[in-house]
Amino acid sequence: MKSTGIILILLVATLALPLGNSFAVPISNPPTNLNAQSVSGSQINLSWNAPINATQNAVNGYKIEQDVSCDGDFTVISANTTSTTYSNTGLNAGTCYAYRVSALNSVGVSVPSNVDFDTTFTVPNAPTALSITASAT
């Protein structure tokens, strides 16, 4: 009878242990090397590296936050993208934009990446009509 109790304890202990990578764990590292690059008066492209141990942490997406005017007030612009690049379009010309990215998995969200910022290109004003008056001498 004692051997049945030992087998039962071993069986319960085995079921309590995670099997390989089948259970996600909290993400311990943020994405790295976030780079914001202005490409026009209305677009900034972002790129970043996956966090260290992304596979072991079962990273399955990224949350991107934007700060318009670079004043420290971030809002989510993409709740879950799976790529490590993003083109932010429809922006205002000559405006500073700051960004940060967090990794996602089934357990939660990592701390944010480094913050990077860039200013969209300033679009020059359209030329005004010139009025030329000729004088006879």
Side-chain angles (χ1 to χ4, degrees):
M1 203 59 152
K2 288 185 179 196
S3 63
T4 304
I6 293 172
I7 292 172
L8 182 58
I9 289 171
L10 290 174
L11 179 61
V12 171
T14 303
L15 294 175
L17 297 174
L19 303 172
N21 287 335
S22 63
F23 290 89
V25 296
I27 303 169
S28 56
N29 297 304
T32 59
N33 299 321
L34 174 62
N35 181 40
Q37 181 69 46
S38 182
V39 294
S40 72
S42 63
Q43 180 175 335
I44 293 178
N45 291 339
L46 306 175
S47 63
W48 61 91
N49 296 333
I52 297 169
N53 297 329
T55 302
Q56 292 87 346
N57 289 324
V59 170
N60 59 11
Y62 299 94
K63 175 178 77 169
I64 304 169
E65 296 175 280
Q66 172 190 59
D67 168 12
V68 179
S69 300
C70 298
D71 61 5
D73 187 22
F74 285 90
T75 58
V76 175
I77 59 170
S78 179
N80 189 4
T81 183
T82 57
S83 178
T84 56
T85 61
Y86 184 82
S87 293
N88 194 16
T89 59
L91 305 175
N92 296 320
T95 303
C96 180
Y97 292 89
Y99 299 92
R100 64 186 181 191
V101 178
S102 301
L104 307 171
N105 72 8
S106 62
V107 176
V109 182
S110 74
V111 297
S113 67
N114 60 294
V115 173
D116 197 22
F117 61 92
D118 206 345
T119 300
T120 50
F121 296 160
T122 301
V123 179
N125 294 331
T128 57
L130 296 175
S131 175
I132 300 174
T133 306
S135 64
T137 55

